[in-house]
């Protein structure tokens, strides 16, 4: 009655439809046996290991997939509650007698796709295998992707911190690619002295050729108020020695274009008199060919290539006045950027136009406002650079490179970072390799034992002395070594202020954005704040950026026309010459115009004050 | 100096009497109180609206991020947090989860009596007493298997069972254990719809009240319900109608009037905010509730409420539905007096708030013995002239007024 199948129906011999790559090809009986048979053949290497088969009893479907583009992952096969990857095979694999292909051919490891995974019961570790399991993971770490695997002692951190950490590793400045000096990518950063992490997970060795940080000595303590709220105090002397130094590269390119009618761009120092000429001084750094020489220091708006283009539209006036039919289209350094010309490339595009690429290099020494992060989702901004003589020091004379605020730990619970600090210290002191792979690494008691054997406290604490006074700190301070990254968010790229500058054509209000020398927007909420304080005159002044005077007809209230030459205003609507000048925002004048275009007549009633 | 409100004066005097203070001391207390009171008053032209709006919306933004739910607690799952706050301020006709908190009179504080009232309130629908239904498509009738135990609980004897379906144009009869419901005019298309109206048909209780929970608050028994119907509940004997509340503001408005609705808006929003662990001064909520109810009916904050009914065309147009307001204003030939803040900010004039609300007026020509020049001022001055304007243009400085007028 309610549409559910009765017990009887379920028990009758099952049938299933077989779909091969999405197409219905057959209707079969005993689907379980069918699926089992195909799997067996695959494991015996009788059919390709790329074939995946799945059975969905609730839909009575058997799905076979052989196409490309499926995400598949390897798993060890479990039969009768036992992993097929035996100790004997492990030893053989370790000694190099067998390889990965052997394991696949012998039906020890198989790749499952998303659909076949639905039929599998996968154990995380070998110890967890029961007789119901069909597979076991190669290693528990495979539950993580590569970026999460880069975090040492990953499982000691809270989930969200792993997420943040993995995200920030991607923003680290290191070695972007091995041939970066020969490339002309639009922009990239490269670190000067990158290092491999002292403490890293096994899997992260795949990133060994692209390191993205440096190992530094850290003291977990406060330094006056300078490292509150995730700020970072850095040792200035370390910075002077090259800590976190990087280069910022930007490539500018321009094409010498050809136009209709035989006209073309000219690459040369623009002659005076050309439209948009920047003045002789602007082209001083250019060589005779109009292109800047390598190793020339440049800054905002410096001309890199002198170029002139033909005017696109010729108006009668231009011919009449005899101005040369050219305009200046030189390539200049972006606003807010500077550096040294690194390399000049002169080549051709596929259309056989001349192509010029100029790469600028800018040295970036860590400064207040740059962003640093550990691999545990703990980011911070440099707030103070302290000379090493003012930094705390140990009795051995070790001076930390960075002072990390302990308040960043309790609420975020990044215990992995504390372990990394301790393990880093142990590794640096002993020279022993310490693995930090997730789930399967040197455990804390062992690290502690190692520290003890080196003659240090096993909790990583040390007595520190204040560099400014020489006095001993009353408490022991946790110190250690950790891998730190400089992230791709530097103040040099962001610092911006404006007092006067360009406006947009339509509204006459200041432009937006740093690249356009824009104003800093006083937004709706800021406006409300001024209103809330009753500061009416401040409010008016702040929104004065587009103020204009408009002539309003006293008779009808429409905008009048002002003839500058005759210095006379007339109303186009009622021909009256009696006009009142009203001060208002240009944006409001624009609104009036727009309303008029809608067919709404707007009358301003004016009166004298 | 501002006088103290009578309530505070009375309180101080009572205190002085109780403590038997000397006249001198009483005077001193009164003086201090007056000073503190005048300090805590708003200044003239201070923009209370903006301050209230900010004070309300800051915690509201906090709420978007964390709205706590209580899973598994006894009681009724009520909409809380930001969704509820929006419900109140948008003046929705029906809350998502209407509830009532019913308090009872002193004589009814007995679990048996409370249960009895609760049972009276809860709505019983036909589907509660029907186990299963079969639709006969050939003869167009519905056969229902009845739950006689349940009917007995409800006090309906077997012989009267067929009377539970109180729909019009329906014939009902009892055939053995089954109830046959035959509609007088039905066809194949409507018979299924009819089945649902049979299942949903009302047997007893108050319509719309689907759940009733009896809890004890201190020494008092209270009944909370899902679904609200104040008028009917007030009529039940034993219900203390002075302390029984609903969260349906429009219902309160219909049953008890605007004043009660204003209080309901206040109490409900205060409760919602405080329940989230946030705090707002009650005066801001009062201002908002007053604004929503000033003209005798509940108006929403937003497009169809307060913002959509503002006096200024420019302000309405700058909020939402720009074209609608501009065209409407031009058809009606509306005039914008430019008295508000937003209009003046738009025109870059000094807004009449705070320091901008005052002007210095000196009749200089009269003082100099000349005749006052210029037209008669019948309308509000929209702003003061700037010096630059005078110097540059050599015309008398003006300030603008705007009125939309119909011209096609
Ligand atoms: Zn006119």
């Amino acid at each position: 009655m309610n549409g559910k199948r009765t017990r009887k129906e379920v028990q009758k011999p099952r049938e299933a439809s077989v779909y091969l790559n999405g197409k219905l090809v057959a209707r079969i009986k005993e689907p379980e046996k069918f699926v089992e048979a195909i799997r067996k053949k695959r494991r015996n290497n009788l059919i390709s290991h790329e074939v995946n088969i799945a059975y969905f009893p609730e839909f009575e479907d058997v799905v076979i997939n052989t196409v490309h583009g499926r995400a598949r992952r390897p798993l060890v096969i479990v039969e009768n509650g036992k992993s097929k990857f035996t100790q004997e095979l492990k030893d053989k694999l370790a000694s190099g007698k067998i390889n990965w292909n052997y394991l696949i051919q012998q039906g020890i490891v198989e790749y499952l796709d998303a659909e076949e995974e639905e039929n599998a019961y996968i154990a995380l570790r070998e110890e967890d295998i029961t007789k119901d399991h069909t597979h076991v993971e190669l290693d528990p770490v495979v539950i993580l992707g590569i970026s999460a695997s880069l975090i040492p002692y990953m499982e000691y951190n809270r989930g969200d911190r792993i997420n943040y950490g993995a995200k920030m590793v991607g923003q680290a400045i290191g070695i972007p690619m091995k041939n970066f000096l020969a490339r002309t990518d639009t922009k990239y950063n490269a670190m000067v002295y990158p290092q491999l992490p002292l403490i890293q997970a096994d899997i992260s060795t795949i990133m060994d050729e692209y390191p993205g940080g440096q190992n530094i000595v850290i003291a977990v303590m406060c330094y006056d108020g300078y490292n509150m709220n995730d700020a970072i105090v850095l040792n200035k002397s370390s910075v002077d020695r090259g800590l976190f130094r990087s280069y910022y590269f930007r490539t500018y390119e321009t094409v010498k274009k050809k136009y209709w009618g035989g006209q073309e761009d000219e690459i040369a120092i623009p002659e005076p008199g050309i439209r948009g000429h920047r003045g002789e001084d602007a082209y001083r750094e250019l060589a005779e060919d109009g292109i800047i020489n390598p190793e020339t220091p440049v800054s905002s708006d410096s001309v890199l290539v002198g170029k002139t283009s033909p005017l696109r539209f010729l108006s009668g006036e231009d011919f009449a006045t005899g101005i040369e039919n050219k305009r200046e289209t030189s390539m200049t350094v972006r606003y807010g950027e500077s550096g040294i010309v690194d390399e000049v490339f002169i080549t051709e595009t596929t259309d056989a136009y001349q192509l010029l690429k100029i790469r600028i290099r800018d040295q970036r020494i860590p400064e207040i406002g740059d962003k640093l992060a550990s691999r545990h989702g703990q980011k911070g901004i440099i707030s103070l650079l302290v000379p090493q003589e003012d930094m705390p020091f140990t009795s051995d004379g070790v001076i930390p490179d960075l002072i990390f605020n302990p308040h960043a730990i309790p609420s975020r619970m990044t215990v992995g970072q504390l372990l990394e600090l301790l393990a880093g210290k142990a590794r640096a002191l002993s020279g022993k390799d310490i693995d930090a792979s997730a789930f399967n690494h040197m455990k804390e008691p062992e690290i502690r034992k190692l520290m003890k054997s080196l003659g240090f406290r096993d909790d990583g604490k040390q007595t520190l002395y204040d560099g400014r006074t020489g006095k001993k700190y009353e408490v022991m301070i946790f110190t250690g070594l950790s891998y730190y990254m400089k992230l791709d968010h530097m103040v040099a790229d962001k610092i911006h202020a404006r007092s006067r500058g360009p406006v947009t054509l339509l509204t006459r209000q200041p432009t937006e954005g740093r690249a356009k020398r824009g104003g800093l927007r006083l937004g709706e909420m800021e406006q409300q704040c001024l209103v809330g304080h009753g500061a009416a005159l401040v409010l008016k002044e702040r929104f004065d950026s587009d103020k204009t005077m408009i002539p309003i007809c006293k008779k009808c209230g429409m905008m009048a026309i002002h003839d500058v030459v005759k210095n006379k205003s007339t109303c186009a609507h009622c021909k009256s010459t009696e006009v009142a000048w009203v001060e208002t925002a240009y944006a409001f004048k624009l609104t009036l115009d727009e309303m008029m275009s809608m067919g709404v007549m707007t009358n301003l009633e004016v009166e004298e004050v | 100096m501002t006088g103290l409100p009578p309530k505070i004066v009375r309180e101080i005097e009572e205190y002085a009497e109780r403590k038997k203070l000397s006249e001198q001391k009483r005077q001193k207390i009164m003086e201090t109180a007056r000073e503190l009171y005048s300090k805590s008053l708003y200044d003239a032209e201070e923009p209370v609206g903006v301050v209230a709006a900010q004070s309300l919306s800051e915690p509201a933004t906090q709420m978007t991020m964390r709205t706590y739910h209580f899973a598994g607690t006894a009681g009724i799952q009520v909409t809380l947090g930001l969704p509820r706050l929006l419900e109140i301020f948008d003046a929705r006709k029906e809350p998502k989860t209407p509830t009532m908190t019913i308090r009872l009179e002193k004589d009814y504080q007995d679990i048996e009596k409370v249960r009895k009232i609760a049972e009276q309130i809860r709505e019983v629908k036909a589907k509660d007493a029907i186990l299963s239904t079969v639709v006969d498509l050939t003869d167009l009738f519905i056969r229902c298997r009845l739950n006689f135990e349940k009917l007995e609980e409800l006090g309906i004897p077997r012989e009267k069972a067929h009377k539970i379906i109180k729909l019009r144009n329906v014939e009902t009869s009892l055939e053995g254990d089954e109830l046959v419901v035959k509609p007088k005019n039905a066809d194949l298309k409507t018979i299924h719809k009819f089945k649902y109206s049979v299942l949903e048909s009302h047997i007893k209780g108050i319509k719309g009240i689907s759940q009733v929970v009896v809890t004890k608050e201190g020494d008092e028994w209270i009944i909370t319900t899902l679904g609200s119907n104040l008028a009917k509940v007030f009529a039940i004997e034993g219900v203390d109608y002075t302390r029984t509340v609903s969260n349906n503001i429009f219902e309160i408005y219909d049953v008890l009037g605007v004043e009660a609705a204003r209080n309901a808006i206040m109490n409900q929003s205060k409760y919602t905010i405080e329940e989230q662990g946030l705090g707002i001064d009650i005066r801001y909520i009062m201002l908002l509730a007053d604004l929503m109810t000033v003209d005798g009916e509940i108006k929403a904050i937003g497009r169809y409420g307060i913002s959509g009914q503002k006096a200024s065309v420019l302000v309405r147009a700058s909020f939402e539905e720009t074209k609608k307001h501009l065209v409407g204003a031009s058809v009606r030939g509306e005039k914008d007096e430019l008295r508000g803040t937003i209009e003046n900010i738009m025109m870059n004039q000094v807004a009449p708030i705070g320091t901008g609300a005052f002007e210095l007026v000196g009749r200089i020509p009269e003082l100099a013995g000349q005749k006052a020049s210029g037209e008669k001022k019948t309308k509000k001055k929209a702003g003061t002239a700037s010096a630059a304007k005078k110097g540059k243009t050599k015309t008398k400085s003006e300030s603008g007024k705007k009125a939309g007028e119909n011209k096609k």
Side-chain angles (χ1 to χ4, degrees), chain A residues 552-560 570-576 578:
Chain A
I552 300 291
C553 171
K554 278 189 181 174
K555 237 165 115 186
C556 71
M558 295 281 284
M559 259 185 282
T570 27
C571 173
H573 182 237
C574 69
K575 311 286 179 247
S576 159
E578 249 186 274

Short mmCIF file of all heavy atoms in Angstrom, two decimals, chain A residues 552-560 570-576 578, ligand 1:
data_model
loop_
_atom_site.label_atom_id
_atom_site.label_comp_id
_atom_site.label_asym_id
_atom_site.label_seq_id
_atom_site.Cartn_x
_atom_site.Cartn_y
_atom_site.Cartn_z
N ILE A 552 22.02 78.17 -11.79
CA ILE A 552 20.61 77.75 -11.77
C ILE A 552 19.76 78.97 -12.14
O ILE A 552 19.95 80.06 -11.58
CB ILE A 552 20.21 77.24 -10.37
CG1 ILE A 552 21.05 76.03 -9.94
CG2 ILE A 552 18.71 76.92 -10.29
CD1 ILE A 552 20.78 74.76 -10.71
N CYS A 553 18.83 78.75 -13.04
CA CYS A 553 17.94 79.83 -13.44
C CYS A 553 17.04 80.21 -12.27
O CYS A 553 16.41 79.35 -11.67
CB CYS A 553 17.11 79.40 -14.64
SG CYS A 553 15.80 80.54 -15.05
N LYS A 554 16.99 81.47 -11.97
CA LYS A 554 16.17 81.90 -10.84
C LYS A 554 14.69 81.81 -11.14
O LYS A 554 13.86 81.70 -10.24
CB LYS A 554 16.52 83.35 -10.47
CG LYS A 554 17.75 83.44 -9.61
CD LYS A 554 17.91 84.85 -9.09
CE LYS A 554 19.16 84.99 -8.25
NZ LYS A 554 19.39 86.38 -7.86
N LYS A 555 14.37 81.86 -12.42
CA LYS A 555 12.96 81.88 -12.80
C LYS A 555 12.37 80.47 -12.79
O LYS A 555 11.32 80.24 -12.19
CB LYS A 555 12.81 82.50 -14.20
CG LYS A 555 11.88 83.70 -14.21
CD LYS A 555 12.05 84.46 -15.49
CE LYS A 555 10.79 84.39 -16.31
NZ LYS A 555 11.00 85.01 -17.64
N CYS A 556 13.03 79.54 -13.50
CA CYS A 556 12.43 78.22 -13.63
C CYS A 556 13.14 77.12 -12.86
O CYS A 556 12.62 76.01 -12.73
CB CYS A 556 12.32 77.83 -15.10
SG CYS A 556 13.90 77.47 -15.87
N GLY A 557 14.35 77.40 -12.37
CA GLY A 557 15.00 76.38 -11.55
C GLY A 557 15.76 75.32 -12.32
O GLY A 557 16.20 74.34 -11.74
N MET A 558 15.91 75.51 -13.64
CA MET A 558 16.69 74.55 -14.42
C MET A 558 18.15 75.00 -14.43
O MET A 558 18.47 76.16 -14.17
CB MET A 558 16.17 74.50 -15.87
CG MET A 558 14.76 73.97 -15.99
SD MET A 558 14.71 72.20 -15.88
CE MET A 558 15.30 71.74 -17.50
N MET A 559 19.03 74.08 -14.81
CA MET A 559 20.43 74.42 -14.94
C MET A 559 20.61 75.34 -16.14
O MET A 559 20.10 75.06 -17.22
CB MET A 559 21.27 73.17 -15.14
CG MET A 559 21.95 72.71 -13.85
SD MET A 559 23.01 71.33 -14.16
CE MET A 559 21.84 70.02 -14.24
N ALA A 560 21.30 76.45 -15.94
CA ALA A 560 21.51 77.40 -17.03
C ALA A 560 22.84 77.10 -17.73
O ALA A 560 23.63 76.30 -17.26
CB ALA A 560 21.50 78.81 -16.49
N THR A 570 22.76 82.07 -19.44
CA THR A 570 21.38 82.13 -19.93
C THR A 570 20.71 80.80 -19.68
O THR A 570 21.33 79.74 -19.76
CB THR A 570 21.32 82.41 -21.44
OG1 THR A 570 22.51 81.94 -22.04
CG2 THR A 570 21.08 83.87 -21.73
N CYS A 571 19.41 80.86 -19.38
CA CYS A 571 18.66 79.63 -19.18
C CYS A 571 18.17 79.15 -20.54
O CYS A 571 17.50 79.89 -21.25
CB CYS A 571 17.48 79.89 -18.25
SG CYS A 571 16.39 78.48 -18.10
N ALA A 572 18.47 77.92 -20.88
CA ALA A 572 18.07 77.38 -22.17
C ALA A 572 16.57 77.11 -22.20
O ALA A 572 15.96 77.02 -23.25
CB ALA A 572 18.83 76.09 -22.44
N HIS A 573 15.97 77.03 -21.04
CA HIS A 573 14.56 76.68 -20.94
C HIS A 573 13.66 77.90 -21.07
O HIS A 573 12.72 77.93 -21.84
CB HIS A 573 14.31 75.96 -19.62
CG HIS A 573 12.90 75.52 -19.43
ND1 HIS A 573 12.16 75.91 -18.36
CD2 HIS A 573 12.11 74.73 -20.18
CE1 HIS A 573 10.95 75.37 -18.46
NE2 HIS A 573 10.91 74.64 -19.56
N CYS A 574 13.97 78.97 -20.30
CA CYS A 574 13.10 80.13 -20.31
C CYS A 574 13.79 81.42 -20.75
O CYS A 574 13.23 82.50 -20.65
CB CYS A 574 12.44 80.32 -18.95
SG CYS A 574 13.61 80.83 -17.69
N LYS A 575 15.04 81.25 -21.25
CA LYS A 575 15.81 82.38 -21.80
C LYS A 575 16.14 83.47 -20.80
O LYS A 575 16.61 84.54 -21.16
CB LYS A 575 15.10 83.02 -23.01
CG LYS A 575 14.63 82.02 -24.06
CD LYS A 575 15.80 81.48 -24.88
CE LYS A 575 15.30 80.47 -25.89
NZ LYS A 575 15.79 79.12 -25.59
N SER A 576 15.87 83.21 -19.54
CA SER A 576 16.18 84.22 -18.52
C SER A 576 17.69 84.30 -18.32
O SER A 576 18.41 83.34 -18.51
CB SER A 576 15.49 83.85 -17.21
OG SER A 576 16.13 84.48 -16.14
N GLU A 578 18.82 85.71 -15.49
CA GLU A 578 19.01 85.82 -14.04
C GLU A 578 19.36 84.46 -13.47
O GLU A 578 18.55 83.53 -13.51
CB GLU A 578 17.73 86.35 -13.39
CG GLU A 578 17.91 87.75 -12.85
CD GLU A 578 16.70 88.17 -12.10
OE1 GLU A 578 15.77 88.67 -12.75
OE2 GLU A 578 16.67 87.94 -10.89
ZN1 LIG C 1 14.84 79.23 -16.76
#
